[in-house]
Amino acid sequence: MKKIVFIILGLYLSVGMAFAQDTETEKPKDRPIRAPFESGILIDNQTTVVPSKKTLEMHIQHRFGLIKSSGASDLWGIYAPSANTRMGLNYSITDDIMLGYGITRKNMYNDFQAKWTFLKQTRKNTIPVTLTVYGNMAINGQSDDVFGDDYAFADRMSYFGQFIAGRKFNEWFSLELNASFTHFNSVKSTEANITGYEHDVIGLGGHMRFKFSPQSSILIMYTTPLNIQSMQENTTVMNAWKSNFGIAYEVATSTHAFQIFISTADGIVPQDIYMYNEADLTETEFRFGFNITRLWNF
């Protein structure tokens, strides 16, 4: 009987010591970094940021008119009739996946969007970068007269897809680069396959944040469509293919982000910017704008 007791006690101690050794050698998990940006948008760009699960995110995005068009007569574009506004709501169904809807004054675009951050940079650099995919579908909500008598509902639709790669280098500097593809189902032309707008465009861009206080940052953004001749459907292309540049000052708290900036494009929906931006950076054709982000957790 004593032998049986000693055998059971020996097995118990052996298992306990082995478990203790496993616990001691188990390494702590390498957690994701804190958000590299304060909002899911940076001027006109999407960032890799997806708010935590069950968060409702509201965006108000506004663009005034061109600063140099009328000067002081319209307060350098602030009272210009060409102002543009988008209001949108996004909801995070997981910590990595967000769905949203917005409506924009220009062309009355109704956009439905999704964002998925499928890889996150970690604090110990086990994973050195964050990778995100973003996509939307926009419906042009203008009256039927704009499209003419012979058109289908699908002619109102346009699509945008983007891949974003980013890295937070330290607490004060973050950088992200992106590549995108834009498609419009219907575009204007004067002579089919000879002179007209293109249906598709590929774009590249990036943005960065310089954080100089717990709540304040300087943001810089640049995107450009690529004029790839092998993709062109028309001999004479009517698209302006202008780049978009912006620089902003941002103030943020845990639930709010406010960005005030100057940028070139009057559009807000990304496919409209890549396809139809006619403001020329080299001619200093800038406009004032602001973005407001508000978060609610449920």
Side-chain angles (χ1 to χ4, degrees):
M1 183 67 180
K2 290 182 179 180
K3 289 182 180 181
I4 295 173
V5 172
F6 282 127
I7 291 171
I8 293 172
L9 184 60
L11 290 171
Y12 176 79
L13 291 173
S14 298
V15 172
M17 291 176 65
F19 181 81
Q21 289 176 353
D22 289 343
T23 303
E24 290 175 359
T25 57
E26 184 180 348
K27 296 181 179 179
K29 292 182 178 179
D30 192 0
R31 295 179 295 165
I33 59 167
R34 292 182 177 89
F37 296 92
E38 306 300 333
S39 173
I41 54 173
L42 189 153
I43 307 179
D44 292 325
N45 265 359
Q46 290 289 325
T47 71
T48 57
V49 172
V50 173
S52 59
K53 182 180 179 180
K54 296 182 180 181
T55 297
L56 181 66
E57 179 183 47
M58 180 189 73
H59 289 304
I60 299 176
Q61 301 165 256
H62 188 79
R63 310 290 177 269
F64 295 100
L66 282 174
I67 293 173
K68 73 175 191 177
S69 288
S70 301
S73 64
D74 64 4
L75 203 58
W76 293 275
I78 291 178
Y79 286 117
S82 57
N84 189 20
T85 302
R86 178 184 179 272
M87 296 183 291
L89 289 173
N90 303 323
Y91 186 73
S92 299
I93 57 177
T94 73
D95 289 335
D96 306 316
I97 299 175
M98 176 213 78
L99 301 176
Y101 165 78
I103 184 168
T104 304
R105 179 180 181 272
K106 182 180 180 181
N107 294 341
M108 290 305 294
Y109 285 120
N110 289 260
D111 64 89
F112 301 86
Q113 58 181 298
K115 186 192 291 188
W116 175 34
T117 297
F118 61 91
L119 191 70
K120 289 184 176 180
Q121 180 184 345
T122 55
R123 300 182 184 188
K124 296 183 178 180
N125 276 321
T126 304
I127 301 174
V129 295
T130 299
L131 301 178
T132 299
V133 289
Y134 168 84
N136 77 29
M137 177 188 72
I139 302 172
N140 188 321
Q142 296 181 94
S143 66
D144 294 347
D145 297 339
V146 174
F147 297 90
D149 297 329
D150 184 20
Y151 86 97
F153 181 78
D155 293 339
R156 295 178 175 271
M157 295 182 179
S158 60
Y159 307 89
F160 180 82
Q162 188 171 63
F163 175 79
I164 311 167
R167 177 172 172 80
K168 183 179 181 180
F169 289 87
N170 48 49
E171 288 303 315
W172 64 270
F173 180 64
S174 300
L175 171 69
E176 292 182 348
L177 303 175
N178 58 63
S180 64
F181 179 76
T182 292
H183 174 79
F184 277 76
N185 281 355
S186 177
V187 293
K188 293 180 181 179
S189 65
T190 57
E191 189 175 355
N193 299 320
I194 303 296
T195 302
Y197 285 92
E198 297 294 307
H199 287 84
D200 304 307
V201 62
I202 291 174
L204 297 176
H207 49 261
M208 60 186 74
R209 178 188 74 170
F210 299 91
K211 189 172 184 178
F212 59 89
S213 80
Q215 293 183 327
S216 300
S217 303
I218 296 296
L219 311 174
I220 299 175
M221 172 221 68
Y222 179 80
T223 61
T224 184
L226 302 179
N227 186 6
I228 303 174
Q229 292 186 355
S230 60
M231 289 180 58
Q232 291 180 2
E233 306 165 52
N234 299 286
T235 305
T236 303
V237 176
M238 296 169 64
N239 303 72
W241 299 134
K242 299 296 184 182
S243 301
N244 184 28
F245 172 80
I247 183 168
Y249 169 68
E250 179 183 61
V251 179
T253 67
S254 59
T255 58
H256 294 78
F258 178 74
Q259 301 169 4
I260 184 169
F261 53 83
I262 58 170
S263 65
T264 52
D266 67 333
I268 299 176
V269 176
Q271 54 263 54
D272 183 86
I273 294 174
Y274 277 95
M275 189 70 80
Y276 295 118
N277 177 33
E278 296 183 353
D280 194 337
L281 170 62
T282 63
E283 298 293 331
T284 63
E285 293 180 335
F286 289 101
R287 65 194 74 237
F288 290 112
F290 64 82
N291 295 332
I292 300 173
T293 301
R294 176 69 165 95
L295 303 178
W296 289 274
N297 296 101
F298 295 97

